[in-house]
């Protein structure tokens, strides 16, 4: 198995050791767009779907109810969060369709973690804003997609359309939880898609509070060092 960043894992475990018990109750009010992302996954049947940064498995459980013919996988760097995830999966009647594992999102191997080669869909919900090497996470995810696979992302947006005072207050509050909106997410999405020969789309939520991105199917051969 690919090595896990122990520093990152320890930091996340420390943050979520106690928060994991109330995480879903508190995040539902400001992690906007998660359910829309899930509703738009539309995986093939049968299909495979991975969530990067699966946390408590809230999203995986919802997706498994919507797409009963699909196999779901989740990875997270925090073993503390995965304790909550595994307990929730065990209690659910869709638990047989979900497998989770601890892994570094920048280096994970589907074969080593789950015994499969590629995923039909990968999604990342409000995790990139908490991962310092977030660009590497996007790049790694794209390389683990099937040729007609898709990467779906929802996260905090630039908040550029908000008034200055609320924007500063929101960013300061998020910083208390080690959350940093990725202001160049849109350009990174398009650059990564182009590099891998894939399509891309990007949209903004109300007041630019959220960002919704998709890297889609292969449209041509990926760029090489000579191109």
């Amino acid at each position: 198995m690919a090595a896990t960043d122990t520093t990152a894992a320890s930091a996340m475990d420390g943050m979520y050791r106690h928060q994991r018990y109330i995480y879903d109750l508190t995040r539902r009010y400001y992690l906007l767009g998660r359910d829309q992302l899930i509703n738009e996954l539309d995986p093939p049947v049968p299909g495979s779907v991975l969530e990067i940064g699966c946390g408590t498995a809230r999203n995986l459980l919802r997706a498994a109810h919507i797409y009963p013919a699909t196999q779901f996988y989740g990875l997270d760097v925090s073993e503390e969060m995965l304790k909550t995830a595994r307990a929730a999966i065990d209690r659910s009647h869709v638990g047989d369709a979900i497998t989770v594992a601890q892994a570094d999102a920048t280096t994970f191997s589907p074969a080593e973690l789950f015994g499969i080669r590629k995923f039909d869909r990968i999604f990342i919900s409000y995790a990139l804003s908490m991962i310092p090497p977030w660009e590497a996470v996007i790049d790694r995810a794209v390389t683990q997609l099937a040729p007609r696979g898709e990467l779906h992302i929802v996260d905090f947006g630039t908040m550029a359309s908000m008034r200055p005072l609320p924007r500063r207050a929101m960013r300061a509050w998020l910083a208390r939880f080690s959350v940093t909106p990725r202001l160049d997410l849109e350009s990174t999405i398009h650059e990564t898609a182009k590099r891998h020969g894939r399509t891309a789309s990007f949209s903004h939520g109300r007041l630019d509070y959220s960002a919704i991105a998709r890297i889609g199917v292969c449209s041509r051969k990926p760029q090489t060092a000579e191109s």
Side-chain angles (χ1 to χ4, degrees):
M1 181 182 299
T4 299
D5 185 333
T6 56
T7 301
S10 297
M12 290 297 101
D13 282 345
M15 179 181 299
Y16 291 123
R17 184 163 288 112
H18 303 296
Q19 279 194 46
R20 65 190 178 95
Y21 297 107
I22 60 171
Y23 184 91
D24 289 331
L25 290 175
T26 58
R27 268 57 176 183
R28 63 184 296 183
Y29 300 105
Y30 65 92
L31 299 187
L32 307 180
R34 294 181 296 172
D35 292 344
Q36 178 182 343
L37 179 152
I38 293 169
N39 292 338
E40 294 176 354
L41 286 175
D42 192 26
V45 178
S48 58
V49 176
L50 170 72
E51 180 178 16
I52 293 176
C54 65
T56 64
R58 179 264 187 198
N59 295 331
L60 289 172
L61 289 165
R62 181 178 179 85
H65 279 94
I66 296 173
Y67 307 108
T70 301
Q71 192 66 37
F72 289 89
Y73 304 89
L75 65 84
D76 203 288
V77 75
S78 171
E79 185 59 40
E80 290 295 327
M81 287 296 264
L82 289 175
K83 289 178 183 178
T84 296
R86 293 186 183 106
I89 292 167
D90 288 343
R91 291 193 303 268
S92 172
H93 72 274
V94 296
D96 289 345
I98 304 172
T99 305
V100 297
Q102 184 185 33
D104 186 327
T106 65
T107 59
F108 72 93
S109 165
E112 294 178 0
L113 287 175
F114 307 116
I116 64 174
R117 292 185 60 191
K118 300 285 183 179
F119 298 100
D120 297 302
R121 300 288 186 272
I122 297 177
F123 69 100
I124 311 173
S125 171
Y126 288 94
L128 294 177
S129 51
M130 298 191 69
I131 303 173
W134 61 276
E135 299 100 327
V137 174
I138 296 174
D139 193 79
R140 184 63 179 173
V142 173
T143 66
Q144 305 310 310
L145 288 171
R148 298 196 62 78
E150 298 174 356
L151 170 62
H152 294 246
I153 296 169
V154 63
D155 214 306
F156 292 105
T158 63
M159 306 181 191
S161 298
M162 296 173 65
R163 292 184 179 275
L165 184 58
R167 180 172 64 243
R168 288 196 296 269
M170 185 63 184
R171 287 182 178 175
W173 184 72
L174 290 174
R176 296 179 59 187
F177 301 95
S178 300
V179 174
T180 304
R182 305 309 182 188
L183 304 185
D184 51 348
L185 177 60
E186 182 172 6
S187 61
T188 299
I189 289 295
H190 287 289
E191 289 166 4
T192 304
K194 182 178 180 180
R195 187 167 63 252
H196 291 283
R198 289 180 175 266
T199 61
S201 63
F202 193 95
S203 60
H204 305 270
R206 185 172 179 270
L207 297 178
D208 299 314
Y209 177 87
S210 60
I212 304 95
R214 180 184 301 181
I215 294 180
V217 300
C218 292
S219 57
R220 57 170 177 73
K221 291 183 179 180
Q223 288 184 342
T224 64
E226 292 77 20
S227 62

